[in-house]
Amino acid sequence: MTEHTHTESSATAVPFGEFRISRTEQGEAVVVEVAGDVDTTTAPALVQAADEALADQPPVLVVDLSRVEFLASPGLTALLTIHRNAGTGTAVRIVASGRATLRPIQLTGLEESLSLFPTRDAALTGS
């Protein structure tokens, strides 16, 4: 499991300004879970974590944004980059349901380009 952490954290809440990425495997899928703000300083770490996961060519890569509190335009660009980097062999599924994540995706029209799911379980099953 790969984990990128900028500061120490509690298990339930991400303190203001903290960013964390963790990677787990669930069946044949790889899940990259993001917590905190995805902005200019943190978006490259998200792309790097996803690229590391894609190197193993999993059938499914789930990017779980359910714990993201702020998704800036570099974060949206990161999601598109991850989708592009996956190629045709890996389905990229984005978990985005909260106002902080789903709203920016919808406002920019990216829901047409990204596979969005309301929960991790839905993303894992593709439903």
Side-chain angles (χ1 to χ4, degrees), residues 1-7 9-11 14 18-26 29-36 38 42 45-53 61-68 82 120:
M1 179 163 97
T2 303
E3 187 166 336
H4 302 272
T5 304
H6 285 292
T7 59
S9 69
S10 68
V14 179
E18 182 177 318
F19 176 77
R20 187 174 61 241
I21 298 175
S22 62
R23 174 184 168 181
T24 57
E25 294 181 14
Q26 291 190 247
V30 175
V31 178
V32 174
E33 181 182 21
V34 186
V38 183
T42 58
L46 172 56
V47 173
Q48 179 182 350
D51 283 348
E52 289 172 6
L61 173 66
V62 174
V63 180
D64 188 345
L65 304 177
S66 59
R67 298 188 63 207
V68 168
I82 292 165
R120 181 185 296 194

Side-chain angles (χ1 to χ4, degrees), residues 7 20 37 50 74 92 94 108 125:
T7 59
R20 187 174 61 241
D37 296 347
V92 177
I94 311 294
T108 55
T125 61

Side-chain angles (χ1 to χ4, degrees), residues 48-93:
Q48 179 182 350
D51 283 348
E52 289 172 6
L54 289 170
D56 296 332
Q57 300 179 335
V60 176
L61 173 66
V62 174
V63 180
D64 188 345
L65 304 177
S66 59
R67 298 188 63 207
V68 168
E69 297 166 2
F70 177 70
L71 182 63
S73 60
L76 297 170
T77 301
L79 295 176
L80 289 172
T81 300
I82 292 165
H83 187 267
R84 182 194 70 225
N85 291 352
T88 58
T90 301
V92 177
R93 300 174 183 165

